[in-house]
Amino acid sequence: MEASDTTTQRNYYDDLATRAVRNGHPLDATIELAASAYLDGKPQTHGKRKLTRRERDSQFWLSRKVKNCPTTAWSTEPMVLALARYLSQEQLAIEGLINAVAQVAPDALIRAVRYSGLVMKQQSPRRAELMLAGASCPAVGELCRVLDIFDQAHRLRVSAVQIEKDRLTHLSAFDFLVYASLYAFECLVGKDIASMKAGHANKSRTELAWHAINDLLAWKLGTANESSLKLNDASIGLSVARHLRPILFDEGRGGASEAVQAFHAFHALLDAQIELNEFISRSADAFCYDDSIRFVRHEDRLEIVEVDPAARTAWQIDGHKLRRLHDYWFHRAMDEFVEYVAADPGRWEIGRPENADANRMAWLRALQAKLRLQEVYGIADEVTSDSGEPVDVFQALLSLNLMSAFFESDFLVAFTDRLDSMGDWRSALQRMTMEGLLNGMQNRLPITWSGREAKIINITGWTVNESQPKGSLRMASAILDFWTYDMAVLAARLQKCEPGLQPHLFERPVLKFGATLVQLPWIVGIQNNSTAAINNLRRLGSRRGNVKEETQRIEASLAKVLESRGFRVLLNWQPPREGALDDPGEVDVIAARDGHLFVLEVKSTFMRKSQREAWMHATTTLRKAGQQLQRKKAAVLRAVESSAEFCMAIGLNDGQSITHRHGWIVDTSIESDHQRFSGFLKISVEEMLIALRDDRHLLKGLSEFRTASPELIALQDQGHSHSGTTMYPDGFNAERFAKVVEAAVVWDETNS
């Protein structure tokens, strides 16, 4: 093999493998070690200079140890992932690599092709290398034919989207959102509210539309001129007059007006984008990241064959767990609210009597999210907004939930009530809009806007507390920044093709167009604000300065609950380093009781929406966590055997010994739940908390539209006894706790 460029520097991976061989590691294990280091981004520097990814790629694939690795090494998970990384990039070419692997390990190559995402990169030079290998390897040749079918299907869908985009290039980003809002009230809102009132809350169609609109808004911003992103009353008035009024108020609504034609084109574009997104998620991403299925070719079509039914349902099961956890935290919030009101019955009334029920529900949902953020994600009472101002987390959550309550009652429910009586979405929306105008000139259009200062004044009333009886303009401003998505900033980044995360509409639902702030009632009124807060902080804000402190608070929170159950806990223990290759790193949590030793590796991330994101998390963060835990558990066991001081720290006195050893990866996300990484069980922080608290009975279902009415107290007073659902009928002990977690007893719905 030869690279298109060469490197004269000493090869890090050869040195690493050589040291491993000297320390007695078998050859296959040394290759795995080198591949794992490569996947983890090592080495990061050469001397004082930071290495580029291409330099690291080149050094790995030119390593003598890698080029001459045993045939069996190619089938190991690290080498398959390393090969997938090579296939996913286009800068470096290693002559003969793909063909060589195809001859000795075709199954490993096929897996690597799938994981690489090459199915969506038909112009990649790696495709030519794959075709060449396929000429002499039938299995790889068949894979190339499968990729060709995907390519054709993808091109058709991309072309369909582009054709519809070409019809709407004249629309500004705000014009586009006007049509999106009309579409939402025509096709989504009535069905959403009806299903939620019935307790079903199935938002699959809505979420498909939201994601498609989000993608198309990014397209609009990527082509927008700067002036169109600075809205004022005049420009908004022109847009509404040109695009919204003809749809809602013109008599000839069935005619061929510009707005009607554009609205039809918007429908077609959104359908095409949804079809493209569904092809990517259900076909391309499934091909790449779903090991439970295989795509089998029949002439020029593909058929999905299920090869692992249990794994096939894992993603759906995880989604069901998330819904149950949402209910769990709401029940926790209701318990706390009952105590809050019991201490002072006057707290029952929140705001004006006519708004009290909605305000109580907003308060409960804010508390629900705060409890989850604090106990699971380690979020402090205050965080910092993008502007640098401190934000009170509960007040930020309460403000968003009060916004949601307002849009829900005054827009969504009001619209569906009129829709039920009138039977036509235009007539219902028209009446709601006119009634708003007659009632104090209130904006009841399907899209709303206001100036920043007016919005701050509105939010100020929601920041009232004992220390700020009149509210705080400064806090209101910081809260607004916390939930704001700046269209001009994102447009500039997209147009420069700069890397960065794109907010989803629900994560930051206040859209900033210059001095004007736009909100979409059909999103704000129905979105999951708990998920919005988590992803705002943990996905978009993953590089905040206080993220490390938050992870430490998660560990401290787990330690506190473990100690309440009689465990001796040691936090953030730094073991001694054993040799150049064996740096265990800091051990997050060590707990001991009843002869059981638990070594925990804690990870904190965000809530994922796709199989691709879940796969990436499993093959990066969780894969690495398993390797870390392998080293850390070994270091802990060495300390148990050699250090009396360490044994005393974990409560091993008077000849007590460890009879059972457990290593768990404890992660804030639910993905890859109860899978094993390097042999270690991965569980969620929430499952561990519930197992320790023994309150799985709070996982019971709860209707989204249940109001915080006086029945709330009766609901909480009803037999909170859970003697029939306890996971410890014979009392709590470490052995039973381990079995509860390892057997996933928390999720047993027959007893919860």
Side-chain angles (χ1 to χ4, degrees):
M1 305 174 205
E2 294 181 1
S4 56
D5 64 348
T6 59
T7 178
T8 58
Q9 68 188 38
R10 190 168 177 175
N11 193 292
Y12 170 88
Y13 303 103
D14 279 337
D15 290 348
L16 184 65
T18 299
R19 291 197 304 270
V21 169
R22 288 174 183 167
N23 288 341
H25 293 281
L27 186 56
D28 278 14
T30 66
I31 301 300
E32 284 195 57
L33 183 67
S36 295
Y38 168 62
L39 293 170
D40 294 340
K42 300 175 183 178
Q44 295 183 349
T45 59
H46 177 64
K48 295 183 178 180
R49 183 176 63 84
K50 188 174 182 180
L51 289 177
T52 65
R53 173 175 170 173
R54 176 173 177 168
E55 288 175 316
R56 195 177 299 113
D57 290 343
S58 178
Q59 192 172 152
F60 179 77
W61 292 111
L62 290 177
S63 159
R64 294 188 307 276
K65 298 292 186 183
V66 172
K67 286 194 292 184
N68 299 319
C69 74
T71 299
T72 53
W74 286 111
S75 297
T76 63
E77 194 70 11
M79 283 299 283
V80 169
L81 294 175
L83 192 57
R85 179 170 294 187
Y86 168 76
L87 290 162
S88 70
Q89 57 81 47
E90 299 183 7
Q91 291 187 325
L92 179 71
I94 304 295
E95 186 178 345
L97 171 63
I98 300 303
N99 193 54
V101 179
Q103 302 307 312
V104 299
D107 289 345
L109 176 60
I110 290 169
R111 285 179 61 207
V113 169
R114 289 176 50 225
Y115 296 158
S116 70
L118 202 60
V119 68
M120 299 294 288
K121 299 177 182 178
Q122 301 298 334
Q123 301 306 314
S124 168
R126 305 289 81 77
R127 280 297 305 273
E129 296 174 26
L130 199 63
M131 291 286 289
L132 183 63
S136 57
C137 178
V140 174
E142 178 62 19
L143 173 66
C144 290
R145 287 185 282 275
V146 169
L147 293 181
D148 287 341
I149 294 174
F150 269 104
D151 182 30
Q152 183 180 14
H154 184 231
R155 288 176 187 273
L156 285 172
R157 287 161 176 80
V158 169
S159 176
V161 170
Q162 189 58 53
I163 289 170
E164 301 304 335
K165 281 181 176 178
D166 290 343
R167 298 170 63 190
L168 295 175
T169 54
H170 63 286
L171 296 183
S172 70
F174 182 77
D175 297 337
F176 174 83
L177 289 174
V178 167
Y179 286 110
S181 299
L182 288 166
Y183 174 92
F185 277 85
E186 178 189 9
C187 301
L188 304 177
V189 172
K191 295 176 182 177
D192 288 337
I193 299 298
S195 65
M196 291 176 70
K197 282 183 175 179
H200 299 144
N202 184 357
K203 298 192 290 184
S204 58
R205 172 65 186 181
T206 296
E207 289 177 350
L208 291 176
W210 284 10
H211 290 309
I213 290 168
N214 210 84
D215 293 337
L216 292 169
L217 177 59
W219 158 64
K220 272 295 161 193
L221 294 174
T223 58
N225 61 63
E226 187 176 354
S227 62
S228 71
L229 301 176
K230 296 178 180 179
L231 297 177
N232 53 41
D233 287 343
S235 61
I236 291 173
L238 287 173
S239 179
V240 169
R242 183 178 178 184
H243 301 289
L244 190 148
R245 188 176 65 194
I247 304 294
L248 286 188
F249 298 106
D250 286 1
E251 290 295 328
R253 66 175 70 155
S257 71
E258 176 192 5
V260 171
Q261 290 181 30
F263 193 34
H264 289 323
F266 177 87
H267 268 264
L269 173 57
L270 193 63
D271 287 344
Q273 186 68 50
I274 289 173
E275 172 63 25
L276 173 60
N277 289 357
E278 282 288 86
F279 168 78
I280 293 172
S281 65
R282 291 181 179 272
S283 297
D285 281 358
F287 173 81
C288 293
Y289 311 115
D290 189 347
D291 284 327
S292 70
I293 60 172
R294 291 290 179 270
F295 283 78
V296 177
R297 185 177 65 88
H298 297 284
E299 300 292 340
D300 58 351
R301 65 180 181 85
L302 298 177
E303 177 184 337
I304 294 177
V305 176
E306 188 174 75
V307 295
D308 188 345
R312 181 82 162 141
T313 60
W315 181 255
Q316 288 76 21
I317 291 172
D318 287 349
H320 181 56
K321 287 180 180 178
L322 282 175
R323 289 189 290 274
R324 295 182 70 195
L325 287 169
H326 182 73
D327 293 339
Y328 170 84
W329 290 106
F330 198 92
H331 283 295
R332 287 279 306 276
M334 287 198 292
D335 284 344
E336 189 159 316
F337 183 65
V338 168
E339 293 181 11
Y340 177 76
V341 171
D344 181 0
R347 293 169 173 168
W348 176 256
E349 296 298 332
I350 302 177
R352 294 196 299 268
E354 63 271 23
N355 296 329
D357 279 350
N359 290 342
R360 274 192 291 272
M361 181 57 75
W363 198 95
L364 282 164
R365 285 175 173 161
L367 181 58
Q368 169 196 29
K370 182 188 176 184
L371 288 171
R372 193 175 197 179
L373 284 169
Q374 288 187 330
E375 295 188 27
V376 180
Y377 294 89
I379 304 298
D381 289 337
E382 282 191 346
V383 295
T384 304
S385 70
D386 288 349
S387 65
E389 287 288 330
V391 179
D392 182 285
V393 170
F394 180 74
Q395 288 188 327
L397 292 165
L398 181 60
S399 296
L400 181 59
N401 279 284
L402 286 168
M403 287 183 205
S404 294
F406 166 68
F407 285 123
E408 181 185 303
S409 63
D410 286 29
F411 284 76
L412 307 186
V413 174
F415 168 75
T416 54
D417 287 346
R418 286 151 185 78
L419 182 63
D420 289 343
S421 61
M422 304 182 75
D424 173 70
W425 75 272
R426 282 189 182 88
S427 300
L429 193 53
Q430 183 184 72
R431 177 171 293 183
M432 185 180 80
T433 301
M434 295 305 298
E435 288 174 356
L437 292 174
L438 294 173
N439 187 17
M441 295 296 290
Q442 297 178 20
N443 183 346
R444 292 298 181 269
L445 292 171
I447 184 170
T448 69
W449 61 89
S450 66
R452 174 178 166 80
E453 297 306 315
K455 196 71 176 175
I456 289 173
I457 291 171
N458 287 339
I459 294 176
T460 300
W462 298 339
T463 66
V464 171
N465 55 35
E466 292 179 1
S467 62
Q468 296 278 355
K470 294 184 179 180
S472 167
L473 286 170
R474 184 172 181 176
M475 178 58 68
S477 176
I479 288 170
L480 191 56
D481 289 340
F482 184 75
W483 296 118
T484 294
Y485 180 0
D486 193 315
M487 300 289 99
V489 170
L490 180 60
R493 181 167 62 75
L494 291 171
Q495 291 174 21
K496 293 176 183 177
C497 298
E498 294 176 349
L501 292 174
Q502 177 183 329
H504 299 305
L505 290 171
F506 76 92
E507 290 172 337
R508 293 189 177 177
V510 180
L511 312 182
K512 183 176 184 291
F513 286 83
T516 301
L517 303 177
V518 173
Q519 286 190 281
L520 308 172
W522 45 277
I523 285 183
V524 186
I526 209 168
Q527 69 180 31
N528 185 321
N529 290 330
S530 177
T531 300
I534 291 167
N535 279 6
N536 193 354
L537 289 164
R538 300 302 305 170
R539 190 178 81 90
L540 300 178
S542 62
R543 298 185 182 274
R544 291 175 297 115
N546 46 7
V547 168
K548 184 176 180 180
E549 296 173 8
E550 290 166 1
T551 302
Q552 291 173 340
R553 278 194 289 270
I554 299 170
E555 296 161 2
S557 177
L558 284 172
K560 185 178 179 180
V561 183
L562 283 162
E563 287 171 344
S564 73
R565 283 297 196 177
F567 286 91
R568 285 291 295 271
V569 180
L570 188 58
L571 271 177
N572 309 125
W573 177 66
Q574 182 64 57
R577 186 165 178 163
E578 299 282 340
L581 289 177
D582 190 9
D583 179 14
E586 183 179 87
V587 183
D588 296 334
V589 182
I590 305 169
R593 177 185 158 160
D594 306 333
H596 285 253
L597 177 69
F598 297 84
V599 182
L600 309 181
E601 177 71 12
V602 178
K603 297 296 179 185
S604 179
T605 53
F606 61 94
M607 286 190 162
R608 290 165 183 80
K609 289 289 185 180
S610 70
Q611 283 186 307
R612 180 182 182 276
E613 289 178 335
W615 182 87
M616 290 292 293
H617 182 53
T619 56
T620 54
T621 302
L622 298 180
R623 178 191 58 80
K624 188 174 180 179
Q627 295 171 345
Q628 291 170 324
L629 192 50
Q630 200 166 37
R631 296 190 296 270
K632 293 177 183 183
K633 184 181 176 185
V636 169
L637 294 177
R638 285 196 298 268
V640 168
E641 294 173 356
S642 62
S643 172
E645 181 182 0
F646 179 84
C647 288
M648 288 184 64
I650 61 173
L652 294 181
N653 304 316
D654 302 325
Q656 291 178 320
S657 62
I658 296 297
T659 57
H660 296 82
R661 302 162 180 82
H662 312 273
W664 294 344
I665 301 166
V666 186
D667 182 25
T668 55
S669 72
I670 203 77
E671 289 83 24
S672 301
D673 205 24
H674 281 265
Q675 293 182 24
R676 291 187 178 269
F677 297 85
S678 297
F680 297 107
L681 182 70
K682 182 271 171 191
I683 59 171
S684 69
V685 172
E686 286 162 293
E687 178 176 355
M688 188 164 179
L689 287 174
I690 294 169
L692 287 166
R693 288 170 54 90
D694 193 21
D695 58 0
R696 67 172 172 176
H697 61 288
L698 297 182
L699 288 165
K700 59 190 174 186
L702 183 74
S703 170
E704 279 291 315
F705 264 70
R706 180 174 292 157
T707 60
S709 60
E711 286 76 21
L712 173 65
I713 298 297
L715 176 68
Q716 295 308 99
D717 284 343
Q718 285 173 8
H720 246 322
S721 168
H722 58 283
S723 58
T725 65
T726 179
M727 294 176 283
Y728 309 99
D730 298 321
F732 184 93
N733 59 65
E735 181 177 0
R736 176 59 185 167
F737 169 65
K739 289 180 179 178
V740 162
V741 171
E742 291 170 355
V745 175
V746 163
W747 305 111
D748 183 359
E749 296 191 62
T750 60
N751 294 309
S752 59

